C-alpha cells in the first residue's frame, strides 16, 4: 500500500541544482510528489512503496549534487496525499531564514566549452551559467534561492532559455541564473570620460586595449577588477602610480593552466586549489620562472607571485582573446573596498582606468578574490584572505539559542552572525580606519539583520575602546537592547583555533600561542606575543614576550625603523643614525624616557629585524616588512640553525636579549638569509620550549605572524610526532578570525585569568 513521506534536507542545498536533481531521481524511481525550497532548506513529498522511497532517500543523501553540502536530512511518514506525477513547485517562505547561503562558484567546464564554441548559441556570451556554476551570493537579495530573490529577476528568460529551464534532461533545468545574449546581461565598453565605444564583441576590443598598454576597469561578477598586461612593465608602473600602490604585489590572471604550468612550477595541491569551484588566488614561489612577466614591477623584491585562473565567463573569454597573463587587482582606490557599482566606479576610478568594461547586472554583495598559500615543506594551507567562494557560510557546532553578533577586529575586519542554526561570517571587509570600508562594514551588519529578520540578543566586541568595530558594537547593542560583552583580542584568536578544531572538550590542556602586530591587553598594554593555556573551560595567560616601548602610536606599525629604535641599545647607534635624523633621534629618545605604554608584539619584532637588515624601514602595505623578511629564506636546514634565546624565566621571552644576539650576528657580517632563518628558528624553538615548560603536548597557534609559511614548517619539523599542532585552517590566522573567536570564547570560556 503506497504511503506519503516527507523528506527535509538542510545545509547548502539551494542554488546548487538540488531540486532538479531530486526531480530526475524521483522520475528514475517512478515516484510521484513534489520538491520545493523553503526558509530552512529543501522539502520533498513522495507517495510510493516504503522500500522504494527509502532507496530513493539513501541514494539522494549519499550522492547529492556536487556543489551541495548536506547538514541534516530526515525522513518522516506524512498524511496521505495523491500526486499526479512529480513536480518542482514554487517556494513558500513561512518563517525566518534558517539555511546555509550559497557562495559564488567558478564557471564550470561545460559552460566554458559553450562560450568558446562558435556553433553554440551561447558563443561569446560571458554570463553563461548552469545549476553547477556562476554567481550566487554576489547577486542574492533574499532567500529562498529563487530568481525573484536575485538581481536576475529583471531579466525575463526568452523562449529558448525557458525551454531549457523546463527540460528535466537539461543541466539548466530550474537554473535560477539562466540567461543568454537574447534575454540577458549586456556589456558596455567606454572611455574614462564616459564615451561609449562601438564594438560587436566588447571583450575582444578590451583585449586589444589591454595589449596596447591601457588599464581597463572590468566589472566582474563580484566587483570591479583593474587589469593591464602583466608582461608590460610600463603599464604596471602606470597602474601603481595611479592607484597609489608603490610596492604591494599584484594578482596575476593566467589565461590557462597550461601556460601557468609552463611558466611556474606548481604542485598537485596548488593546481587542485586553482581549479576548484572557489578558484582563489594562490601564492606560488617564482623559483625557476620561465615566462615573460614583468616580475620586478608585479611583485617588487619578492620571490613569490599571486596567481589565479579565469573563474567567470567574462574573464574566461578575455583570457581566450589575450592568451597572455594580465594583472587583475581589486577595483578600488587605495585602502577602499572593492567597487561594485558602475556610477561609483566611473567616479572613483576615473583617474586610474583608461577604459571601463561594464555590465547591467547589479551586484549586491561585492567580494574580493580569496587568497591562499601552501607552506613549502608540508603544504600546510594558510588562508590569507577569505572572501569570494569561501564566504559567507561557516561550518561549526554552536549550542546556544541566543542570537549573537560578533563585531570582529579593526584592521582585517569581518562580522560573524548567529541568527539561527547556522553561523555566517562575512567576507573580508578591511581596515575600519577608512570611511568607505567602515561604511561597507556597517552596511554588512545591517544586511545580515535584514536578511535573517533578526536583531542580536548578544553583541560581542573587542576590548580595544578605539576600534570602530567596538564603537559600532556598543551602538548596536544600545539600539537593539542587546547584552554587550567584551572579548580580549588575543584570547579571541586562541578561541578561533580551538573552535575550528573542536578542542573545547580537551581535559589534558592546550597551549595557545598568539602572535600578531597589536591588540589591547587586559593590563592596558599592547599585546602581540602571547601564551595561554586552555583546560576545562578555563583560559589563562601564562607567558609573553618581554615588554618593550610602544613609540609614536599607530606610526610604529607603519615604520619598522621605529620598532628597531625601541629595541635598540647604545651599541646600535651607528645603524640608528643611518635611519633617523638628529632631530628624530632626539624626539624618539624623549618618547622612550617618558613612554609608559609597552608592547609584547612579535609583529613589531619582525619589523625591527627587517629594519636592522635594511629590508624595510617604511611599510607601504600592511605586513610588508614581515613578508620581505620571510622572502630572504630560500632554503634551510634545521641542524644548521641556532637560537637567539638561551632561556625563558617565568614564561617571559627575553625580547631585547633575542634582538641583541641577532644584532651581534649582523655586526659580524652574517648573511641576511642566515639571520632571518635563525630568527624564525628562534621563534619556533620558543613555542616548543614553552610547551615543554608547561608539560603540554597540544599547541594551538593563531595571529597574523602565522601567515609566515616558513615559520609554520619549522614548528612542524621541530615538533615531529611529539606534539599535536593546530592552526587556523578554514579561516585566516590574521584578524579575519577575530569575529569567530569572539563567538567561540563567549560560548565556551567559563573562567579567565
Amino acid at each position: 500500500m503506497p504511503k506519503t513521506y516527507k523528506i527535509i534536507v538542510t545545509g547548502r542545498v539551494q542554488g546548487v541544482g538540488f531540486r532538479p536533481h531530486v526531480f530526475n531521481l524521483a522520475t528514475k524511481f517512478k515516484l510521484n510528489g513534489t520538491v520545493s525550497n523553503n526558509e530552512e532548506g529543501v522539502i520533498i513529498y513522495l507517495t510510493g512503496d516504503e522500500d522504494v522511497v527509502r532507496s530513493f532517500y539513501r541514494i539522494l543523501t549519499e550522492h547529492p549534487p556536487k556543489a551541495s553540502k548536506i547538514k541534516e536530512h530526515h525522513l518522516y511518514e506524512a498524511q496521505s496525499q495523491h500526486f499526479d506525477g512529480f513536480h518542482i513547485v514554487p517556494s513558500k517562505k513561512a518563517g525566518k531564514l534558517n539555511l546555509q547561503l550559497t557562495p559564488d562558484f567558478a564557471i564550470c567546464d561545460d559552460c566554458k566549452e559553450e562560450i568558446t564554441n562558435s556553433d553554440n548559441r551561447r558563443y561569446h556570451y560571458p554570463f553563461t551559467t548552469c545549476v553547477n556554476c556562476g554567481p550566487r551570493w554576489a547577486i542574492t537579495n533574499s532567500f529562498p534561492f529563487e530568481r525573484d530573490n536575485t538581481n536576475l529577476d529583471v531579466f525575463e528568460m526568452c523562449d529558448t532559455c525557458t525551454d531549457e529551464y523546463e527540460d528535466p534532461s537539461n543541466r539548466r533545468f530550474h537554473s535560477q541564473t539562466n540567461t543568454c545574449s537574447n534575454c540577458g546581461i549586456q556589456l558596455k565598453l567606454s572611455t574614462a570620460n564616459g564615451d561609449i565605444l562601438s564594438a560587436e564583441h566588447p571583450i575582444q576590443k578590451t583585449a586589444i586595449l589591454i595589449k596596447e598598454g591601457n588599464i581597463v576597469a572590468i566589472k566582474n561578477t563580484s566587483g570591479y577588477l583593474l587589469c593591464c598586461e602583466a608582461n608590460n612593465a610600463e603599464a604596471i608602473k602606470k597602474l601603481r602610480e595611479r592607484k597609489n600602490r608603490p610596492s604591494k604585489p599584484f594578482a596575476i590572471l593566467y589565461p590557462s593552466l597550461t601556460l601557468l604550468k609552463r611558466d611556474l612550477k606548481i604542485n598537485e595541491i596548488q593546481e587542485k586549489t586553482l581549479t576548484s569551484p572557489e578558484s582563489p588566488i594562490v601564492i606560488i614561489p617564482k623559483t625557476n620562472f620561465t615566462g615573460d612577466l614583468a616580475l620586478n614591477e608585479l611583485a617588487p623584491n619578492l620571490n613569490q607571485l599571486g596567481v589565479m585562473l579565469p573563474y567567470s565567463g567574462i574573464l574566461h573569454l578575455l583570457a581566450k582573446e589575450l592568451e597572455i597573463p594580465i594583472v587583475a587587482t581589486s577595483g578600488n582606490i587605495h585602502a577602499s573596498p572593492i567597487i561594485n557599482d558602475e556610477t561609483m566606479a566611473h567616479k572613483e576610478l576615473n583617474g586610474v582606468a583608461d577604459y571601463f568594461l561594464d555590465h547591467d547586472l547589479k551586484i549586491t554583495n561585492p567580494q574580493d578574490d580569496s587568497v591562499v598559500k601552501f607552506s613549502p615543506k608540508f603544504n600546510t594551507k594558510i588562508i590569507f584572505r577569505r572572501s569570494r567562494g569561501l564566504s559567507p557560510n561557516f561550518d561549526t557546532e554552536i549550542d546556544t539559542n541566543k542570537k549573537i553578533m560578533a563585531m570582529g577586529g579593526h584592521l582585517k575586519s569581518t562580522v560573524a552572525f548567529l541568527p539561527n542554526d547556522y553561523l555566517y561570517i562575512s567576507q573580508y571587509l578591511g581596515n575600519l580606519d577608512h570611511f568607505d570600508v567602515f561604511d561597507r562594514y556597517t552596511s554588512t551588519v545591517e544586511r545580515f539583520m535584514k536578511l535573517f529578520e533578526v536583531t542580536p540578543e548578544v553583541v560581542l566586541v573587542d576590548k580595544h575602546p578605539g576600534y570602530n568595530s567596538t564603537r559600532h558594537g556598543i551602538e548596536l547593542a544600545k539600539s537593539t537592547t542587546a547584552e554587550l560583552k567584551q572579548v580580549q583580542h588575543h584570547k579571541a584568536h586562541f578561541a578561533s583555533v580551538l573552535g575550528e578544531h573542536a578542542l573545547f572538550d580537551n581535559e589534558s590542556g592546550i597551549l595557545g600561542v598568539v602572535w600578531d602586530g597589536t591588540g589591547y591587553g587586559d593590563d592596558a598594554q599592547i599585546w602581540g606575543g602571547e601564551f595561554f593555556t586552555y583546560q576545562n573551560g578555563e583560559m589563562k595567560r601564562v607567558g609573553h614576550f618581554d615588554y618593550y616601548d610602544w613609540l609614536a602610536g599607530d606610526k610604529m606599525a607603519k615604520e619598522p625603523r621605529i620598532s628597531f629604535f625601541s629595541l635598540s641599545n647604545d651599541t646600535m647607534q651607528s645603524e640608528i643614525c643611518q635611519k633617523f635624523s638628529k632631530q628624530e633621534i632626539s624626539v624618539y629618545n624623549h618618547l622612550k624616557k617618558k613612554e609608559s605604554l609597552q608592547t609584547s608584539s612579535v609583529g613589531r619584532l619582525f619589523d625591527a629585524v627587517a629594519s636592522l637588515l635594511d629590508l624595510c624601514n617604511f611599510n607601504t602595505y600592511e605586513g610588508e616588512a614581515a613578508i620581505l623578511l620571510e622572502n630572504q629564506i630560500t632554503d634551510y636546514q634545521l641542524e644548521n640553525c641556532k637560537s637567539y634565546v638561551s632561556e625563558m624565566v617565568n614564561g617571559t621571552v627575553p625580547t631585547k636579549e633575542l634582538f641583541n644576539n641577532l644584532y651581534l650576528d649582523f655586526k659580524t657580517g652574517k648573511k641576511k638569509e642566515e639571520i632571518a632563518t635563525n630568527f624564525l628558528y628562534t621563534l619556533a624553538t620558543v613555542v616548543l620550549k614553552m610547551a615543554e615548560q608547561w608539560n603540554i603536548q597540544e599547541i594551538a597557534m593563531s595571529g597574523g605572524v602565522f601567515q609566515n609559511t616558513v615559520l609554520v614548517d619549522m614548528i612542524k619539523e621541530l615538533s615531529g610526532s611529539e606534539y599535536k599542532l593546530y592552526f587556523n585552517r578554514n579561516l585566516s590566522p590574521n584578524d579575519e578570525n577575530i569575529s569567530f573567536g569572539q563567538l567561540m570564547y563567549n560560548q565556551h570560556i567559563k573562567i579567565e585569568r
Side-chain angles (χ1 to χ4, degrees):
M1 178 72 182
K3 294 180 181 178
T4 300
Y5 296 88
K6 179 181 180 181
I7 297 172
I8 299 175
V9 188
T10 67
R12 193 172 85 186
V13 292
Q14 295 190 14
V16 293
F18 210 97
R19 290 178 298 171
H21 181 75
V22 168
F23 178 95
N24 285 316
L25 191 61
T27 303
K28 183 178 179 182
F29 276 85
K30 298 180 179 177
L31 289 166
N32 295 341
T34 64
V35 60
S36 63
N37 287 339
N38 74 355
E39 68 280 358
E40 294 194 342
V42 172
I43 311 298
I44 306 164
Y45 285 97
L46 297 168
T47 295
D49 294 335
E50 182 177 357
D51 58 340
V52 178
V53 171
R54 291 197 177 276
S55 294
F56 166 92
Y57 179 63
R58 179 178 57 80
I59 296 295
L60 174 66
T61 53
E62 290 179 0
H63 304 283
K66 62 181 180 180
S68 65
K69 286 185 179 179
I70 294 176
K71 183 185 180 186
E72 292 183 1
H73 50 84
H74 304 280
L75 172 67
Y76 310 96
E77 187 174 334
Q79 186 176 348
S80 181
Q81 294 185 61
H82 172 75
F83 297 101
D84 184 15
F86 193 90
H87 302 279
I88 297 175
V89 298
S91 300
K92 293 179 181 178
K93 183 171 178 286
K96 292 175 181 175
L97 188 61
N98 188 22
L99 53 75
Q100 284 200 322
L101 308 179
T102 311
D104 296 347
F105 300 115
I107 184 171
C108 69
D109 289 341
D110 289 330
C111 287
K112 284 181 190 175
E113 196 279 329
E114 287 177 341
I115 64 176
T116 52
N117 179 358
S118 58
D119 294 329
N120 192 283
R121 77 183 196 91
R122 283 191 167 81
Y123 181 55
H124 278 178
Y125 180 60
F127 303 98
T128 296
T129 66
C130 67
V131 294
N132 300 316
C133 71
R136 299 292 193 270
W137 175 237
I139 58 169
T140 295
N141 297 311
S142 183
F143 277 80
F145 190 79
E146 298 284 0
R147 195 181 185 93
D148 290 350
N149 291 331
T150 75
N151 293 324
L152 284 161
D153 66 331
V154 298
F155 300 95
E156 185 176 345
M157 281 187 284
C158 64
D159 290 344
T160 312
C161 283
T162 301
D163 289 343
E164 292 172 335
Y165 182 85
E166 294 175 349
D167 179 3
S169 66
N170 195 295
R171 75 175 194 284
R172 294 191 174 90
F173 180 45
H174 267 264
S175 172
Q176 303 305 315
T177 57
N178 194 25
T179 60
C180 72
S181 57
N182 294 323
C183 62
I185 304 145
Q186 299 299 312
L187 287 172
K188 178 178 66 177
L189 182 61
S190 64
T191 66
N193 295 327
D195 299 328
I196 305 297
L197 295 184
S198 177
E200 185 179 353
H201 299 296
I203 290 178
Q204 192 176 57
K205 178 63 176 175
T206 300
I208 294 169
L209 292 170
I210 288 173
K211 284 184 174 180
E212 289 174 348
N214 293 292
I215 298 166
V216 183
I218 298 174
K219 186 180 181 184
N220 198 22
T221 49
S222 54
Y224 277 84
L225 294 172
L226 285 165
C227 300
C228 68
E229 187 180 335
N231 301 337
N232 187 331
E234 292 307 311
I236 300 165
K237 287 177 185 175
K238 183 169 64 172
L239 178 56
R240 287 201 175 281
E241 186 178 324
R242 292 180 181 180
K243 204 183 177 193
N244 188 23
R245 185 166 164 171
S247 52
K248 188 176 181 180
F250 282 135
I252 303 148
L253 178 76
Y254 263 83
S256 66
L257 182 63
T258 302
L259 184 60
L260 173 59
K261 291 171 80 169
R262 191 192 74 189
D263 283 5
L264 288 159
K265 184 180 179 182
I266 64 172
N267 61 32
E268 186 178 340
I269 193 168
Q270 289 165 337
E271 179 176 337
K272 186 178 178 182
T273 304
L274 283 162
T275 56
S276 69
E278 296 78 24
S279 293
I281 296 167
V282 179
I283 299 173
I284 292 174
K286 64 183 187 187
T287 316
N288 303 321
F289 176 77
T290 57
D292 299 318
L293 296 177
L295 294 178
N296 292 334
E297 287 72 25
L298 289 167
N301 304 312
L302 294 181
N303 59 16
Q304 60 189 24
L305 296 169
V307 300
M308 60 180 168
L309 295 172
Y311 57 83
S312 68
I314 297 174
L315 296 181
H316 186 68
L317 289 173
L318 181 64
K320 281 284 183 184
E321 294 292 342
L322 284 162
E323 296 184 327
I324 56 170
I326 59 170
V327 169
T329 188
S330 295
N332 57 6
I333 55 171
H334 180 66
S336 292
I338 187 170
I339 295 170
N340 59 312
D341 175 75
E342 182 180 333
T343 303
M344 179 66 74
H346 283 255
K347 178 184 174 186
E348 298 291 342
L349 301 178
N350 185 273
V352 181
D354 300 304
Y355 296 91
F356 289 80
L357 181 64
D358 302 301
H359 59 74
D360 54 355
L361 175 63
K362 182 182 177 184
I363 298 169
T364 300
N365 300 298
Q367 303 156 91
D368 290 282
D369 294 313
S370 295
V371 183
V372 302
K373 186 179 179 182
F374 296 90
S375 67
K377 285 198 174 181
F378 294 101
N379 275 323
T380 301
K381 180 182 177 181
I382 298 173
I383 296 175
F384 277 52
R385 183 167 69 200
R386 180 181 176 275
S387 196
R388 177 189 52 78
L390 300 178
S391 64
N393 299 318
F394 194 78
D395 292 323
T396 192
E397 293 294 328
I398 300 183
D399 183 21
T400 179
N401 293 321
K402 296 271 189 178
K403 316 300 182 190
I404 305 173
M405 180 84 79
M407 309 306 290
H410 184 80
L411 286 177
K412 294 184 180 293
S413 59
T414 58
V415 178
F417 195 28
L418 186 68
N420 50 39
D421 294 337
Y422 299 92
L423 173 63
Y424 310 89
I425 303 178
S426 74
Q427 65 270 30
Y428 156 85
L429 295 167
N431 184 345
L432 298 184
D433 278 332
H434 302 284
F435 174 80
D436 291 342
V437 179
F438 185 61
D439 185 57
R440 179 73 53 85
Y441 173 89
T442 56
S443 65
T444 301
V445 172
E446 291 297 319
R447 172 120 178 72
F448 271 161
M449 292 190 292
K450 183 179 179 182
L451 184 63
F452 297 104
E453 302 173 275
V454 167
T455 55
E457 298 165 306
V458 179
V459 174
L460 305 175
V461 298
D462 194 278
K463 276 194 172 181
H464 197 304
Y467 278 6
N468 283 331
S469 57
T470 301
R471 291 169 176 162
H472 189 64
I474 292 170
E475 292 175 9
L476 179 65
K478 284 180 181 176
S479 66
T480 59
T481 65
E483 181 183 4
L484 181 72
K485 292 184 179 181
Q486 293 181 322
V487 180
Q488 198 279 327
H489 189 88
H490 300 91
K491 292 175 182 176
H493 268 308
F494 183 21
S496 76
V497 188
L498 296 175
E500 280 209 65
H501 294 272
L503 298 173
F504 286 106
D505 292 334
N506 182 286
E507 295 180 358
S508 59
I510 298 174
L511 178 69
V513 183
V514 182
W515 294 345
D516 63 4
T518 176
Y520 189 78
D522 288 338
D523 57 1
Q525 302 300 333
I526 306 298
W527 290 5
E530 312 310 308
F531 300 91
F532 302 94
T533 56
Y534 171 80
Q535 190 173 6
N536 296 326
E538 179 180 350
M539 187 179 288
K540 181 166 65 173
R541 187 188 189 215
V542 295
H544 59 87
F545 274 68
D546 203 9
Y547 286 141
Y548 54 100
D549 293 317
W550 182 265
L551 301 177
D554 291 341
K555 193 176 182 183
M556 190 169 179
K558 296 172 183 175
E559 298 185 21
R561 63 180 190 146
I562 298 177
S563 295
F564 176 29
F565 193 102
S566 176
L567 283 162
S568 67
N569 56 36
D570 291 344
T571 65
M572 305 176 190
Q573 292 313 298
S574 61
E575 286 78 23
I576 291 293
C577 289
Q578 293 172 26
K579 300 177 189 295
F580 296 88
S581 67
K582 288 182 179 179
Q583 185 179 6
E584 285 176 323
I585 291 171
S586 175
V587 169
Y588 287 118
N589 275 328
H590 178 69
L591 286 176
K592 245 184 170 182
K593 288 174 186 175
K594 61 173 273 192
E595 185 55 70
S596 59
L597 197 58
Q598 302 280 297
T599 185
S600 58
S601 172
V602 175
R604 297 292 79 81
L605 178 58
F606 267 83
D607 285 353
V609 175
S611 177
L612 170 66
L613 299 181
D614 275 329
L615 300 174
C616 182
N617 289 309
F618 298 88
N619 282 328
T620 63
Y621 58 90
E622 191 187 350
E624 181 176 6
I627 292 169
L628 291 171
L629 188 65
E630 180 183 3
N631 191 71
Q632 288 295 305
I633 303 168
T634 53
D635 195 16
Y636 65 89
Q637 300 297 324
L638 286 182
E639 58 268 24
N640 298 330
C641 298
K642 75 171 189 180
S643 174
Y644 293 126
V645 169
S646 53
E647 62 177 335
M648 300 180 297
V649 181
N650 298 324
T652 302
V653 182
T655 314
K656 289 187 177 179
E657 177 197 303
L658 185 163
F659 191 68
N660 189 60
N661 288 338
L662 185 149
Y663 175 76
L664 293 176
D665 267 5
F666 173 76
K667 287 302 282 185
T668 55
K670 289 272 174 65
K671 291 181 179 178
K672 292 178 183 180
E673 179 180 353
E674 188 176 346
I675 294 171
T677 303
N678 286 338
F679 173 57
L680 294 186
Y681 176 80
T682 302
L683 297 179
T685 56
V686 160
V687 170
L688 300 181
K689 282 180 181 177
M690 191 66 76
E692 188 180 342
Q693 282 188 14
W694 283 93
N695 193 27
I696 291 176
Q697 270 66 53
E698 296 188 50
I699 310 169
M701 287 155 277
S702 187
V705 166
F706 290 101
Q707 289 183 166
N708 189 304
T709 53
V710 174
L711 176 61
V712 168
D713 273 347
M714 279 187 173
I715 295 170
K716 282 196 163 188
E717 196 170 351
L718 283 168
S719 66
S721 58
E722 190 176 345
Y723 296 94
K724 284 186 178 178
L725 306 179
Y726 304 98
F727 300 91
N728 291 108
R729 54 185 177 183
N730 296 315
L731 293 167
S732 172
N734 67 37
D735 282 6
E736 288 181 39
N737 72 47
I738 290 293
S739 60
F740 175 67
Q742 289 167 342
L743 272 166
M744 291 292 98
Y745 185 94
N746 178 70
Q747 176 74 7
H748 296 283
I749 304 303
K750 313 303 179 195
I751 306 167
E752 67 164 323
R753 285 191 277 174

